[in-house]
Amino acid sequence: QVQLEESGGASVQSGGSLRLSCTASGYIASSYCMGWFREAPGEEREGIASIDSNGSTTYANAVKGRFTISLDKAKNTLYLQMNNLKPEDAAMYTCAAATRIVVCLQPLTSYAFGRYGMDYWGKGTRVAISS
């Protein structure tokens, strides 16, 4: 069993930066896939970035070039560095983990990556953007 806990959500001005953290506890496999998702009010949850235990990353077009996903294995912590934040980035951000590394090969927008791919989910941290 793995527990995930996000932190770092806040209200920031448009154009600002924020770093989210997701700390994992419990049994950590040597091979895995982790991802960041977000859900804005009235919208479906969307996958925005993934990283596998080999360090390979993927990004949704909406965040590519502005967000960076990274992993500190020594701290069992997943990060999402968010720069040049826009009003449309306001959402609840959630991290998730899959015990199968191949999940990271799935499109970020697919259920195979999100709903059916991830085994463990955090409770989320809220990001608000003020203009």
Side-chain angles (χ1 to χ4, degrees):
Q1 195 76 4
V2 175
Q3 294 79 41
L4 302 174
E5 184 173 2
E6 303 92 339
S7 61
S11 178
V12 296
Q13 285 193 330
S14 183
S17 297
L18 204 58
R19 188 177 79 161
L20 305 182
S21 300
C22 169
T23 301
S25 59
Y27 174 71
I28 309 295
S30 59
S31 175
Y32 50 81
C33 168
M34 297 192 75
W36 282 101
F37 297 76
R38 69 184 183 186
E39 185 173 358
E43 298 186 13
E44 276 197 26
R45 184 176 59 199
E46 60 174 344
I48 57 171
S50 72
I51 186 167
D52 67 23
S53 45
N54 295 323
S56 296
T57 59
T58 57
Y59 296 92
N61 288 336
V63 305
K64 194 174 295 182
R66 299 188 299 122
F67 291 11
T68 302
I69 188 171
S70 62
L71 193 59
D72 186 332
K73 292 184 177 181
K75 296 182 178 179
N76 288 337
T77 300
L78 176 73
Y79 298 102
L80 184 68
Q81 177 67 43
M82 305 186 294
N83 297 328
N84 189 22
L85 283 161
K86 303 176 181 181
E88 53 265 39
D89 294 320
M92 177 70 80
Y93 284 73
T94 305
C95 66
T99 56
R100 296 164 292 135
I101 193 172
V102 293
V103 169
C104 270
L105 298 178
Q106 304 300 323
L108 294 174
T109 56
S110 70
Y111 282 174
F113 175 71
R115 180 178 300 184
Y116 302 133
M118 294 296 167
D119 300 300
Y120 305 101
W121 295 84
K123 293 183 178 180
T125 186
R126 187 167 297 281
V127 173
I129 311 296
S130 58
S131 56

